[in-house]
Amino acid sequence: MDLRIFTEPQQGATYDTLLTVAKATEDLGFDAFFRSDHYLRMGSVSGLPGPTDAWITLAGLARETSRIRLGTLMTAGTFRLPGVLAIQVAQVDQMSGGRVELGLGAGWFEEEHKAYGIPFPKEKFARLEEQLEVVTGLWATEAGKTYDFHGTYYDLTESPALPKPAQHKIPVLIGGHGAKRTPRLAARYADEFNIPFASLEDTERQFGRVRVAAEEAGRAPDSLVYSNALVACVGRDDAEVARRAAVIGREVDELKANGLAGTPAEVVEKLGRFQEVGSERVYLQMLDLDDLDQLELISAEVMPQLS
């Protein structure tokens, strides 16, 4: 099982903080560094010094790292036009030497749109479907040929479909809890399906829906990677777990029920249960970005038991 580090910078983080965490992610042997795509803090935190842009961040990290994969959970479709997003992601992929992955979602946090003057359309899912068609279509167009798309929300005529990514195909992640449209969209466009902050039962149920949708689309269900995103709170003993939970404003019992909390042995046991229901990869949501000791603990005492 792959372990990836997943950050929420809108809660308060500078680029330098993210760079420090990304370098630790690489040095400690984790598979990837991912970040959210939000412009407004959530909950009671201050969010200071303010938001950082996901793809500007990843562009910087692309030049400062050499091994780890880099991506988003999830880029908000409401933030970017699909043609522009295709250019941005392809350029960052070039800058990284082919290590980028694109998680793309519909966008949902209305308050951040109001705060920064970003339109918040009513029909977001249909837009997301067209965005996926455009982004993947631009990348797949052969060099020297042009790309056209005439949809309800986006219209492209004789696009040169440039630049091209460094990778032959940038992996696309689609995720969520939707019972019908989300699995169908994943079956058509996704290389990986991710379910965020879900129970074992909900994970198994949603993975099953995606597998059925893949079969109905004429695709092998195992051609997708199935993954979870779960909050992490790992300590050497109960006292350390409690201290870390307090720092992020959460209760230990709640974290153990809904995330990956406890000693390394407890976390390994729960990861095994997620693996049993089909999870191949877990994104560890790290809410205290100053706590590099927790990353070191997971690297030293959790990861070796998963290989």
Side-chain angles (χ1 to χ4, degrees):
M1 176 179 280
D2 294 333
L3 292 185
R4 295 181 160 190
I5 299 304
F6 170 41
T7 62
E8 301 272 8
Q10 76 278 357
Q11 300 301 86
T14 64
Y15 171 76
D16 286 340
T17 297
L18 296 172
L19 175 59
T20 298
V21 175
K23 286 186 172 181
T25 297
E26 182 157 274
D27 293 342
L28 293 170
F30 292 97
D31 184 60
F33 175 95
F34 272 58
R35 60 157 291 165
S36 61
D37 188 19
H38 287 292
Y39 292 136
L40 193 66
R41 59 105 176 121
M42 301 170 194
S44 59
V45 301
S46 70
L48 295 175
T52 51
D53 181 83
W55 285 101
I56 291 177
T57 297
L58 295 176
L61 298 181
R63 307 302 292 175
E64 298 282 357
T65 59
S66 60
R67 179 188 60 79
I68 50 172
R69 308 289 295 177
L70 300 166
T72 50
L73 283 181
M74 301 283 186
T75 290
T78 47
F79 289 176
R80 296 168 177 87
L81 297 171
V84 175
L85 181 61
I87 292 170
Q88 291 172 320
V89 179
Q91 183 179 5
V92 178
D93 194 52
Q94 292 175 356
M95 293 167 70
S96 71
R99 293 183 285 121
V100 158
E101 304 185 9
L102 171 64
L104 185 58
W108 62 271
F109 191 19
E110 186 173 5
E111 286 80 1
E112 68 186 339
H113 294 73
K114 292 179 179 177
Y116 286 96
I118 303 168
F120 190 70
K122 286 186 177 180
E123 181 47 76
K124 293 180 287 297
F125 199 90
R127 288 175 181 270
L128 173 62
E129 187 160 9
E130 288 195 10
Q131 288 166 338
L132 286 162
E133 177 68 32
V134 170
V135 170
T136 58
L138 287 167
W139 291 338
T141 300
E142 293 181 19
K145 295 187 177 180
T146 60
Y147 175 79
D148 290 79
F149 177 82
H150 307 292
T152 301
Y153 305 102
Y154 304 103
D155 196 287
L156 289 77
T157 301
E158 295 186 2
S159 171
L162 297 172
K164 296 303 182 192
Q167 297 176 85
H168 173 68
K169 186 181 189 306
I170 291 179
V172 172
L173 289 75
I174 294 173
H177 295 259
K180 295 181 179 179
R181 293 194 297 177
T182 297
R184 176 182 59 80
L185 209 60
R188 182 174 179 184
Y189 293 105
D191 299 283
E192 178 176 339
F193 179 79
N194 178 269
I195 184 165
F197 315 118
S199 67
L200 285 159
E201 295 75 18
D202 288 344
T203 296
E204 185 173 26
R205 187 179 303 114
Q206 188 70 334
F207 285 174
R209 291 175 181 139
V210 174
R211 288 181 173 276
V212 169
E215 289 179 344
E216 291 175 347
R219 180 178 178 184
D222 289 341
S223 65
L224 285 89
V225 174
Y226 297 85
S227 65
N228 289 84
L230 296 162
V231 61
C233 183
V234 187
R236 294 171 180 82
D237 52 35
D238 290 345
E240 191 166 79
V241 174
R243 177 181 64 78
R244 288 195 161 116
V247 169
I248 61 175
R250 304 279 284 270
E251 296 294 329
V252 172
D253 289 345
E254 179 267 323
L255 286 169
K256 287 189 175 184
N258 300 312
L260 294 170
T263 64
E266 290 178 291
V267 169
V268 168
E269 188 275 333
K270 191 161 188 182
L271 285 169
R273 289 157 63 193
F274 275 99
Q275 189 174 44
E276 288 173 359
V277 300
S279 186
E280 303 166 77
R281 176 176 292 157
V282 172
Y283 294 79
L284 303 175
Q285 185 195 42
M286 310 303 297
L287 296 176
D288 182 2
L289 298 183
D290 294 319
D291 188 2
L292 298 183
D293 180 65
Q294 184 174 193
L295 291 181
E296 293 172 0
L297 177 63
I298 296 169
S299 173
E301 299 191 25
V302 175
M303 282 202 298
Q305 299 187 61
L306 303 178
S307 57

